[in-house]
Every structure is written in structure tokens, then in C-alpha cells.
Amino acid sequence: EVQLVESGGGSVQAGGSLRLSCTASGFTFDASRMGWYRQAPGNECELVSTISSDGNTYYSESVKGRFTLSRDDAKNTVYLQMSSLKPEDTAVYYCASHGTIGRDGTCIFWGYWGQGTQVTVSS
């Protein structure tokens, strides 16, 4: 059975930090590109960051320099270290192997994805 379990979300004040984890099972994790997406109420889905199987990373302009994505293939886990958090980072964050933004702005996932974890940043 394929599972992606996200953890580490919560509430923090602006300027604070959180680390999200996504632990996978049931598929060949070390050969998989993984990504984090986020969606806030009323906002379009956003691709936050991805990491390839060989460790190459991508970051959206909105998080570049503040977020760091890494992976530990021995633990089948990716980590999203989020620093200097802003209220506009408030969203549900999803870990997924494949995703896109639907015509209605929602996140559409295929492959493997988790249930989402809430991040709330207060000013």
C-alpha cells in the first residue's frame, strides 16, 4: 500500500520557522521526484518546491531563500525547512510525486500524494 504521511505543520508567528516532513512507503522513493504544493483558501494552488531523485531542487520565487527542501532516502523522507515565515505562507501544504494546477486553481495530484498539513503564520 502506497502512503505519504506529512507532519510538522502548525501555527507560528511571522519570522518563525517550521520543518515539514513527508515520509513515504509502498513505492520506490529513492527513484522518485518529490514536491511540496500549497493551497490557501481563495488562492490558486502553488508549486512550492521540488527535489529530483539526484537531489536537484526547484523553488518558487515566493519562497526562494527562505525554504530548503532536502531528502533522506534511507528514511524515505523529504524535509521542507521553512524559515522567515510570512502570513502569506499560510496554507495547507501537500507532499506529492506529481501534481499540477487545475483550471479552477486547485491542486491536482497523481502518482503519490499525502493528506496535507496546515501551516498558519500569524502577524
Side-chain angles (χ1 to χ4, degrees):
E1 180 187 3
V2 172
Q3 274 195 319
L4 284 177
V5 179
E6 298 124 331
S7 60
S11 297
V12 65
Q13 288 195 325
S17 299
L18 285 172
R19 189 177 79 158
L20 305 184
S21 299
C22 171
T23 300
S25 61
F27 65 99
T28 309
F29 178 81
D30 58 1
S32 299
R33 169 184 173 274
M34 300 299 299
W36 285 93
Y37 298 75
R38 67 185 181 186
Q39 182 146 38
N43 289 0
E44 277 199 354
C45 177
E46 180 183 9
L47 172 59
V48 175
S49 181
T50 63
I51 187 165
S52 67
S53 59
D54 58 1
N56 291 320
T57 53
Y58 158 85
Y59 299 96
S60 69
E61 285 300 317
S62 62
V63 307
K64 195 174 291 184
R66 299 188 297 121
F67 290 11
T68 302
L69 183 58
S70 61
R71 63 189 300 154
D72 184 341
D73 289 341
K75 296 182 178 180
N76 279 8
T77 300
V78 291
Y79 303 99
L80 184 67
Q81 178 67 48
M82 306 185 296
S83 303
S84 302
L85 283 162
K86 305 175 182 180
E88 51 263 43
D89 294 318
T90 295
V92 178
Y93 285 70
Y94 299 91
C95 175
S97 63
H98 299 82
T100 190
I101 301 169
R103 290 183 178 180
D104 59 356
T106 60
C107 295
I108 299 174
F109 303 121
W110 68 95
Y112 317 114
W113 65 93
Q115 79 286 354
T117 186
Q118 176 71 46
V119 171
T120 302
V121 184
S122 58
S123 57

